[in-house]
Amino acid sequence: MADFNQLLSGYQRFRREGWARERSRWAELKEGQSPAVMVIACSDSRVDPAQIFDTSPGEIFVVRNVANLVPPFELGGGRHGVSAALEFAVTQIEVGEVVVMGHGSCGGVAAAMSQRFRGAAPGEGGFIDHWMDLLDEARERIVAEHGEGPAAIRELELETVRVSIANLRTFPCIPEREAAGTLRLRGAYFAIADGVLYLMDDDGQFAPAPV
């Protein structure tokens, strides 16, 4: 696994190759960004959206967090990192699409299913538990139908996408742009084991993307 010195070696390769190859692109980007797509993805090290979608610098606006979750719109509470990123992408950059991408073998979903951090103090798992309780309702429904085995975990991984898209629509800036036809919400799921990207249809079902 890469330590920081190896990351620096990667930076050196990037300067020699990647940055040099797209130097004109980087020169354009110093004037600002105008990505057409926002991707909300998991912080998991195995699911980098820029790698999965093979994008160039400046093509996607990305926010990543545990289990690619979007909290519902609310005015109180603590700091709103996802809400701020969403607000910036939709109202300032004016992206035309927002993609929520879940993934297989998600540690956050596994924690939500097992409830291993339930009752933990902040700093000892409590922050994780409070974040993952966004899935409590979905978890109860899925456990009632599937139990707590691999099928249930997979279904809860897919449900992170459905829950997040439903929560996106609680932000006033989203439905008004959907109604105007200037914004589209999309769901996706990346299966780590086989490298397949699944896309969600309007009915909330997932099917492999064309290759």
Side-chain angles (χ1 to χ4, degrees):
M1 305 301 288
D3 61 17
F4 188 67
N5 287 331
Q6 289 169 303
L7 295 184
L8 287 178
S9 296
Y11 161 71
Q12 292 161 1
R13 290 193 302 275
F14 163 72
R15 281 287 297 179
R16 290 193 307 269
E17 302 166 14
W19 184 83
R21 184 173 57 250
E22 298 202 59
R23 187 166 183 172
S24 61
R25 174 68 173 163
W26 287 104
E28 293 173 6
L29 290 172
K30 72 178 182 181
E31 303 301 329
Q33 61 172 328
S34 56
V37 180
M38 176 184 191
V39 179
I40 300 171
C42 186
S43 300
D44 193 297
S45 61
R46 300 164 293 179
V47 286
D48 179 4
Q51 183 178 39
I52 292 168
F53 293 112
D54 192 24
T55 58
S56 295
E59 287 189 333
I60 55 176
F61 184 88
V62 179
V63 60
R64 300 177 69 176
N65 61 57
V66 176
N68 45 270
L69 290 172
V70 176
F73 179 83
E74 60 182 0
L75 298 178
R79 299 185 187 275
H80 300 281
V82 177
S83 304
L86 175 66
E87 187 176 69
F88 186 78
V90 172
T91 70
Q92 304 304 305
I93 300 177
E94 298 185 324
V95 297
E97 296 178 286
V98 177
V99 179
V100 179
M101 187 178 74
H103 71 95
S105 304
C106 181
V109 168
M113 181 60 73
S114 67
Q115 297 189 319
R116 59 178 292 202
F117 296 115
R118 192 53 42 105
E124 298 178 2
F127 290 131
I128 299 170
D129 179 58
H130 183 51
W131 182 248
M132 297 311 302
D133 67 20
L134 288 165
L135 294 176
D136 277 358
E137 183 179 333
R139 178 193 180 278
E140 290 179 10
R141 174 168 38 82
I142 290 168
V143 168
E145 182 176 353
H146 299 283
E148 298 184 23
I153 292 175
R154 162 89 174 199
E155 187 57 34
L156 192 56
E157 289 170 348
L158 297 175
E159 196 68 11
T160 65
V161 179
R162 301 184 187 109
V163 167
S164 291
I165 287 180
N167 286 345
L168 280 170
R169 292 193 168 111
T170 66
F171 288 78
C173 63
I174 299 293
E176 65 185 25
R177 284 169 171 77
E178 284 190 293
T182 58
L183 180 68
R184 181 172 182 179
L185 304 185
R186 295 182 181 270
Y189 174 89
F190 182 69
I192 291 177
D194 54 16
V196 174
L197 182 74
Y198 293 79
L199 302 180
M200 191 181 82
D201 63 21
D202 293 338
D203 296 323
Q205 302 304 307
F206 289 79
V211 293

